[in-house]
Amino acid sequence: MRSYKIAVLAGDGIGPEVMNAALKVLNTIGEMEAVKFEYEYAQVGGCAIDETGYPISEETLDMCKRSDSVLLGAVGGPKWESLPQDQKPEQALLKLRGGLGLYSNLRPAVVFPALADSSSLREEVVSGVDVMVVRELTGGIYFGTPKGSDQNKAWNTMVYERHEVERIAHVAFDLARKRSGRVTSVDKANVLDVSQFWRDIVIEVHKQYPDIKLDHMYVDNAAMQLVRTPKQFDVIVTSNMFGDILSDIASMVTGSLGMLPSASLGEKYALYEPVHGSAPDIAGQGKANPLAMIMSVSMMLNYTLDLPKSGLAIQTAISEVLESGYRTAELYREGDKLVSTDEMSDLVIKKLTQVSERVT
Ligand code: NAD
């Protein structure tokens, strides 16, 4: 029997609730595929600070390195907000990204047909949207030196090295090959030298992918186009800061934070987590939407564990549960069937068994 080690970092707030819901789904996949998932648990974020004084320990990082994949819930909350910046729960995220070398962040923004009217944009603009934002995660202005500040000025530096652009470009082109075959590279090459460098290297790497259509867009235009006609995009590849902003715009096209998964990938390790935070306002009430976490599991099956049929089965099951009118509280409207976190995951599990026969 194939077996995989999964590091489970549930975190704070709604993290443990959505993680439990997602692991139930993963266990069902295990039974269906005759695959064994072995879980190792550790605390990260605020709960780890309470226990050890640190947001993440070296042992936890080592545990992640021993695993085939990492699942993360969310970290943070009001209890730890007044701590100094370098001691906050969110430091765990930076330590994980850096420590595991997770240089590419994949954020799909998919509009499920049943939720096309939940977006703040018009239904005809968003229905059918399926965009993948590939954000460079460990370079660029967030990490460049020199940086600093004094009484009269402050400065950061946007630096990209050749190998950093090459590897993220490969990620984008490889992904496009499995999708609609189009990549839009977003930069600010009309103003920034580092962006012209980025563009030149993306063009160079593209020569290895003659089957993929590449175009380039300035970041200001890309922000506008994402809101105007999001359907024009397939894969967007961009630098750390531009990706930070554009992936949030793309995600809001879909309507709810509770529906957005993400993958952070490196050469050796992979981490999957929902885009949302720990939602302290609804923690412990069974109101959290577990679908972002469940879709993060679906991405893990697809990209790391080589179980793409199961990944697809989860997506299809979610779509059908939503079609049947079931909604967690944040998406609920009159006429819908209101369900709790656990009920939503049970519905997905029930559908999975029916769906898996159809997608095989
Ligand atoms: P948040 O994403 O936690 O919540 C924003 C709003 O969306 C809230 O009203 C919340 O109830 C709702 N929401 C979020 N996820 C939901 C879900 N699955 N189902 C239903 N509703 C959901 O953002 P915030 O309030 O700005 O941050 C709260 C804490 O989370 C902060 O400490 C922040 O630093 C942290 N945070 C952590 C991560 C992470 O761990 N990756 C990401 C973002 C924020």
Side-chain angles (χ1 to χ4, degrees):
M1 192 188 233
R2 248 198 305 175
S3 127
Y4 294 108
K5 271 205 180 80
I6 312 292
V8 178
L9 314 173
D12 306 313
I14 61 168
E17 299 167 49
V18 296
M19 185 65 81
N20 281 342
L23 292 185
K24 282 201 290 185
V25 174
L26 190 54
N27 287 334
T28 306
I29 295 290
E31 285 161 23
M32 282 164 39
E33 294 264 9
V35 169
K36 193 169 171 211
F37 297 110
E38 290 173 54
Y39 305 120
E40 273 198 280
Y41 299 85
Q43 294 194 321
V44 291
C47 56
I49 293 175
D50 287 350
E51 197 157 285
T52 66
Y54 299 98
I56 183 168
S57 67
E58 286 304 324
E59 291 81 59
T60 301
L61 203 56
D62 285 344
M63 181 190 101
C64 294
K65 288 181 180 170
R66 287 195 308 269
S67 309
D68 294 297
S69 185
V70 182
L71 287 174
L72 175 69
V75 298
K79 185 175 173 192
W80 307 280
E81 251 160 32
S82 52
L83 288 172
Q85 202 61 25
D86 60 346
Q87 293 168 30
K88 284 193 173 159
E90 289 75 4
Q91 286 301 315
L93 305 175
L94 300 184
K95 191 124 192 230
L96 280 164
R97 286 172 193 164
L100 302 178
L102 306 174
Y103 63 82
S104 67
N105 183 227
L106 276 49
R107 277 218 211 167
V110 177
V111 174
F112 286 92
L115 296 183
D117 60 351
S118 300
S119 169
S120 45
L121 299 180
R122 283 201 315 277
E123 191 170 340
E124 65 266 29
V125 174
V126 302
S127 75
V129 163
D130 182 355
V131 184
M132 176 70 84
V133 179
V134 179
R135 168 188 170 195
E136 201 289 326
L137 202 59
T138 51
I141 196 162
Y142 294 170
F143 292 91
T145 51
K147 64 171 186 171
S149 61
D150 63 29
Q151 288 277 313
N152 300 310
K153 65 175 189 221
W155 59 99
N156 292 87
T157 312
M158 194 190 279
V159 188
Y160 268 111
E161 293 185 23
R162 168 175 287 275
H163 77 278
E164 292 177 307
V165 186
E166 282 175 353
R167 66 187 181 182
I168 196 80
H170 280 295
V171 170
F173 290 127
D174 287 337
L175 269 172
R177 230 172 221 168
K178 297 182 193 145
R179 297 169 49 94
S180 308
R182 288 178 293 120
V183 171
T184 304
S185 173
V186 173
D187 60 40
K188 192 71 184 168
N190 50 342
V191 179
L192 301 173
D193 293 341
V194 61
S195 272
Q196 186 59 54
F197 179 77
W198 173 283
R199 188 179 283 215
D200 292 344
I201 291 174
V202 171
I203 290 170
E204 239 177 82
V205 174
H206 179 232
K207 289 183 187 141
Q208 299 170 44
Y209 298 84
D211 51 320
I212 306 295
K213 187 176 173 301
L214 169 68
D215 56 22
H216 305 271
M217 206 177 265
Y218 298 135
V219 63
D220 40 349
N221 186 27
M224 187 182 78
Q225 295 295 338
L226 263 173
V227 177
R228 205 178 71 149
T229 32
K231 268 179 267 194
Q232 70 184 283
F233 296 105
D234 178 19
V235 175
I236 292 176
V237 62
T238 190
S239 59
N240 204 340
M241 182 168 64
F242 297 159
D244 194 0
I245 299 161
L246 290 183
S247 58
D248 268 24
I249 299 177
S251 63
M252 270 303 94
V253 168
T254 68
S256 167
L257 257 181
M259 297 293 302
L260 298 163
S262 80
S264 299
L265 311 175
E267 300 295 348
K268 283 166 79 179
Y269 306 108
L271 179 147
Y272 296 84
E273 62 179 322
V275 167
H276 61 73
S278 61
D281 52 334
I282 57 165
Q285 300 169 37
K287 284 186 182 168
N289 185 345
L291 294 178
M293 188 75 235
I294 294 173
M295 283 190 275
S296 302
V297 163
S298 150
M299 289 184 86
M300 175 178 83
L301 295 168
N302 238 330
Y303 294 118
T304 300
L305 304 189
D306 199 24
L307 294 164
K309 269 191 292 187
S310 293
L312 181 60
I314 291 179
Q315 288 290 121
T316 311
I318 289 174
S319 187
E320 294 189 7
V321 168
L322 293 170
E323 285 298 339
S324 309
Y326 295 101
R327 303 283 186 273
T328 39
E330 91 290 3
L331 284 170
Y332 174 81
R333 286 191 302 203
E334 215 184 314
D336 292 335
K337 299 166 192 155
L338 181 64
V339 291
S340 68
T341 310
D342 278 341
E343 285 165 343
M344 182 55 99
S345 100
D346 290 344
L347 284 162
V348 172
I349 289 167
K350 206 163 145 202
K351 268 274 179 244
L352 256 179
T353 32
Q354 302 161 14
V355 163
S356 63
E357 282 154 25
R358 272 184 277 138
V359 294
T360 48

